[in-house]
Structures are given as C-alpha cells and as structure tokens.
Amino acid sequence: MARLVQKFGGTSVGDPQRIRAVAERVKRAYDSGDEVAVVVSAMAGITDRLCEQVASLSGLADAPEYDVVVATGEQVSAGLLAIALHALGVPARSWQGWQLPVHTDGVHGKARIAAIDTAGLEACLARREVPVVAGFQGLAPDKRITTLGRGGSDTSAVALAAAYDEWIVVEQGIDGREIEVGVLGNREPRTSVPGEIVSSREFYDYEDKYVDGACDLLVPAPLDEDETAEVR
C-alpha cells in the first residue's frame, strides 16, 4: 500500500465531465488499496475572472480581502470533486487551506508556507477517506486567509507530499494526442508507419498503457500526409 498525493490543475477540473474523469482516476488508486490525498486548483479561468471582479471595484484592493475572494475558486473545485467521488462510492471530504491548516507568513497574495498541520488528514486517511485539499490557500498568523501566488496549488501539493516523504514524482498533464513511431538503425535510420494510442479514459498514463490495457493502438494513425511526414 502506498500513500499518494495527486494534484490536478485547472484544465483537469475545468468542467463537470473532467471532474468526473478525475474522480474515476482517484477511485482507481483508492480501489487498489492506496491511501490517496488530492490537491486541486481552481477550474480553468476562474481565478482570472475573480481577479477581474476585484479590479472592477478597486484598482488597489485591500490585500486580505483580495485573498478572501481569489481563494474561493479552489474551494469550489475541492467541493465538486468530493461530490463526484461520493457519487462513485468513494468516501471523501474537502479541506480548505485554513482548515488543515496550512500555516503561512502574513504576506497576502504571495505568502510562503511555514508548516502544514497534517493531523486532520491523517485521521481522514485512517478512516479510508480521500481528503480533497484546496490548493493555493493558507492561514496567516493573524488567522486571515492567504494565497500563495501564481502556481500556488502546485506549491501546496509539493509541500503536502514533502510532509509525508522526501521523494516526489511530478507528472505534467498535456492536452494532446499520443502519436508513436518506431525507429530502426543509427546511420541511416528507418521509421515505421506512425500509430496513435487512444485511451478510453480522460487521462492517458502509465497504468493505461502498461497495466490496465485501457487503450487501443491505431495503425496507421489518422494523420494527413504532411503530419505523417513531420512525425517520421
């Protein structure tokens, strides 16, 4: 049994369909017996819209209140993912940064993490629940909500993972097609006809390709002549 911290960015949780796909991926890890904690970003575009709303009211907004507003995007994502996990039969509970808490300094908008209290998460995992943590958020010494700046949800995930283990594997999600081509030879290499790997799931990863067999290989890949030449 492993303990995993999975982090999903704004594109991955960009709409209900993608949130459902994320929940299915978390469920696979949970069903395998792993202890899984999840960190989420705000849905794609939400934080920018919140910043625009603040700017429409004040060109120089009060920093603590700015953080109160822009931190809400991650709260929505965490709640929606917990609901999606419940629908799949996976016990889950959302956690905000101030609920753990994630202790930070008092610099609003670009706070730095000082420490993370993992006691609540440990209890959650011990009950075989999946904690879904809102990234990007923290708690200042004066008990006000802070945010960690751009990329803050990644910072939250790395800090949480580091609280459990010194080894961290970060996988970047890429929105695109998986095209492969075989190469034979060194001095005068020859290439095979390109093939495309098509997954039956929203996410294509190591388990899909090598473990679960949840993907198909289309040969030749549905590419036009120019794309085929470029790949080869």
Side-chain angles (χ1 to χ4, degrees):
M1 178 181 67
R3 177 169 287 182
L4 305 178
V5 177
Q6 297 182 324
K7 191 268 177 179
F8 297 95
T11 301
S12 296
V13 296
D15 56 47
Q17 180 180 352
R18 293 194 172 197
I19 290 174
R20 190 175 297 110
V22 166
E24 290 171 351
R25 183 171 183 179
V26 173
K27 183 179 187 300
R28 293 203 300 273
Y30 178 86
D31 289 345
S32 72
D34 291 335
E35 293 183 339
V36 186
V38 182
V39 179
V40 291
S41 298
M43 300 168 75
I46 291 296
T47 302
D48 287 340
R49 288 198 287 274
L50 292 170
C51 290
E52 291 170 359
Q53 290 175 6
V54 170
S56 71
L57 295 174
S58 173
L60 188 61
D62 179 78
E65 300 307 330
Y66 172 90
D67 277 357
V68 168
V69 174
V70 300
T72 58
E74 282 73 15
Q75 178 172 331
V76 171
S77 297
L80 288 175
L81 181 53
I83 289 170
L85 286 166
H86 293 162
L88 294 176
V90 178
R93 186 61 59 206
S94 64
W95 290 79
Q96 309 310 307
W98 59 267
Q99 290 177 309
L100 291 177
V102 176
H103 297 284
T104 72
D105 60 23
V107 181
H108 289 277
K110 53 181 179 179
R112 297 176 64 88
I113 295 176
I116 299 179
D117 187 343
T118 61
L121 296 186
E122 292 283 358
C124 194
L125 293 170
R127 296 191 297 269
R128 284 291 290 160
E129 292 180 352
V130 174
V132 182
V133 180
F136 184 58
Q137 305 175 351
L139 187 68
D142 63 357
K143 306 302 181 183
R144 300 296 304 179
I145 292 173
T146 56
T147 61
L148 307 180
R150 289 295 182 181
S153 291
D154 292 337
T155 302
S156 300
V158 171
L160 184 59
Y164 292 120
D165 202 320
E166 61 183 8
W167 292 96
I168 301 172
V169 177
V170 179
E171 297 178 317
Q172 180 181 5
I174 299 175
D175 190 8
R177 299 167 66 184
E178 181 76 12
I179 306 294
E180 64 178 22
V181 61
V183 180
L184 180 64
N186 294 315
R187 294 184 178 180
E188 297 181 0
R190 292 180 293 168
T191 57
S192 69
V193 174
E196 180 172 6
I197 297 174
V198 179
S199 176
S200 61
R201 299 168 177 160
E202 182 74 21
F203 296 98
Y204 168 66
D205 56 15
Y206 179 90
E207 284 76 16
D208 287 340
K209 185 173 183 180
Y210 296 108
V211 180
D212 297 337
C215 57
D216 296 317
L217 177 61
L218 302 182
V219 181
L223 303 171
D224 61 34
E225 291 184 2
D226 291 340
E227 290 171 333
T228 299
E230 182 179 359
V231 170
R232 300 183 73 178

